[in-house]
């Protein structure tokens, strides 16, 4: 499962001349932390090309809960079709972007088949990621999903600090829960177990990974080496919201 596109960001994959041409078609936009870039079900038609900063893509479930689908950063595109917006995109920090009218973006793609191929490849990657995510929700524990998410965040958006890898994205516990399809309480228990195992340290909206090899092991196996077999191992899962990490 992944919060990030696995291919190069769209803008980075474009030849410099095409990138310049695309950005010239739009207008600069600036967003402050917490500001909505795109709102779910809106009928606006522009495409956002992100230049700097991070944003979070989320949807509202039928129960009114928030589910985080992805993180988008510099070079990524937000909203590329003409249908009502399928998700909400919210700035995590200050975000700089260029809003390109939908008709201009389509003309840009029509004149550059390689750019169209990049968009199609990106959409295909996101579909595959969604399939992996569904399997993870059905078969993995909260601890395993959280460990995998923290590994990904550390590798894609972390910096090396004195005591480990510092996750730079300001994701509070309820957002981490939304990113793995779990409750905030279950994530709090899983983080407590990771702290007790000296795998991570936590502070206000900050996580420091202090033992990456063990975190990788947890992401694969779903239980710490000192724990016995996970409770209910081999049995049919009860669903992501009901699972709690083994040993807590």
């Amino acid at each position: 499962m992944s919060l990030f596109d696995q291919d190069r960001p769209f803008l980075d994959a474009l030849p410099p001349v095409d990138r310049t041409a695309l950005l010239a078609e739009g207008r600069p936009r600036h967003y402050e932390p917490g500001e909505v870039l795109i709102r779910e079900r809106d009928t606006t038609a522009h495409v956002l090309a992100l230049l700097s900063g991070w944003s979070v893509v989320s949807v509202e479930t039928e129960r009114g809960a928030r589910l985080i689908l992805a993180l988008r950063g510099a070079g990524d595109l937000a909203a590329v079709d003409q249908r009502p917006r399928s998700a909400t995109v919210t700035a995590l920090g200050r975000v700089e972007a260029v809003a390109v009218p939908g008709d201009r973006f389509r003309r840009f793609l029509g004149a550059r088949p390689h750019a169209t191929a990049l968009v199609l490849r990106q959409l295909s990657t996101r579909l595959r990621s969604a399939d992996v995510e569904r399997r993870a929700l059905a078969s993995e524990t909260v601890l395993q999903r959280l460990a995998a998410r923290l590994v990904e965040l550390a590798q894609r958006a972390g910096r090396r600090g004195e005591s480990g890898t510092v996750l730079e994205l300001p994701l509070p516990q309820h957002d981490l829960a939304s990113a793995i399809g779990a409750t905030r309480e279950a994530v709090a228990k899983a983080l407590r177990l990771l702290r007790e195992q000296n795998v991570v340290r936590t502070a206000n909206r900050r996580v420091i990974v202090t033992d990456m090899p063990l975190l990788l092991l947890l992401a694969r196996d779903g239980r710490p080496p000192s724990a016995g077999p996970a409770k209910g191992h081999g049995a049919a899962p009860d669903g992501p919201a009901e699972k709690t990490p083994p040993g807590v």
Side-chain angles (χ1 to χ4, degrees), residues 13-247:
L14 285 177
V17 64
D18 289 345
R19 174 189 169 109
T20 300
L22 174 60
L23 297 180
E25 296 286 348
R27 295 177 125 188
R29 294 274 185 93
H30 311 280
Y31 302 92
E32 297 300 321
E35 189 173 353
V36 172
L37 287 67
I38 292 170
R39 193 174 299 279
E40 187 177 0
R41 292 184 289 275
D42 274 359
T43 56
T44 53
H46 63 274
V47 174
L48 281 179
L50 305 183
L51 302 181
S52 66
W54 287 99
S55 60
V56 60
V57 182
S58 65
V59 295
E60 295 292 327
T61 68
E62 293 180 355
R63 296 182 179 180
R66 182 178 184 231
L67 180 64
I68 291 178
L69 303 179
L71 293 171
R72 298 285 176 254
D76 286 327
L77 295 180
V80 295
D81 62 24
Q82 303 178 63
R83 303 183 65 182
R85 306 306 197 186
S86 61
T88 295
V89 182
T90 308
L92 280 176
R94 183 172 174 81
V95 171
E96 305 289 336
V98 170
V100 181
D103 57 344
R104 294 186 182 183
F105 183 71
R106 290 187 291 276
R107 284 200 300 269
F108 172 84
L109 293 181
R112 296 165 176 81
H114 63 280
T116 302
L118 288 174
V119 170
L120 292 175
R121 187 172 66 188
Q122 183 182 71
L123 294 176
S124 176
T125 298
R126 292 178 184 179
L127 285 174
R128 286 197 300 271
S129 180
D131 290 340
V132 172
E133 186 76 12
R134 284 195 291 270
R135 285 197 297 270
L137 288 172
S139 61
E140 296 178 358
T141 65
V142 169
L143 179 61
Q144 191 171 2
R145 300 201 305 274
L146 177 62
R149 197 63 90 206
L150 292 177
V151 167
E152 181 184 35
L153 289 169
Q155 292 174 341
R156 295 292 295 270
R159 65 171 176 82
R160 187 65 187 173
E162 292 184 1
S163 56
T165 302
V166 181
L167 275 59
E168 291 290 349
L169 296 177
L171 288 174
Q173 283 189 14
H174 64 268
D175 275 353
L176 285 174
S178 297
I180 64 171
T183 64
R184 181 174 180 174
E185 292 75 16
V187 167
K189 291 178 182 179
L191 283 173
R192 184 180 67 192
L193 179 58
L194 292 176
R195 287 194 298 268
E196 291 172 350
Q197 294 285 326
N198 296 316
V199 179
V200 302
R201 290 169 49 199
T202 59
N204 184 31
R205 296 198 174 196
R206 171 167 289 191
V207 176
I208 302 173
V209 178
T210 55
D211 192 334
M212 182 62 76
L214 182 51
L215 190 64
L216 286 164
L217 179 64
L218 290 170
R220 288 194 297 268
D221 293 347
R223 62 182 187 271
S226 60
K231 184 178 180 181
H233 183 66
D238 294 327
E242 299 300 324
K243 293 180 183 178
T244 53

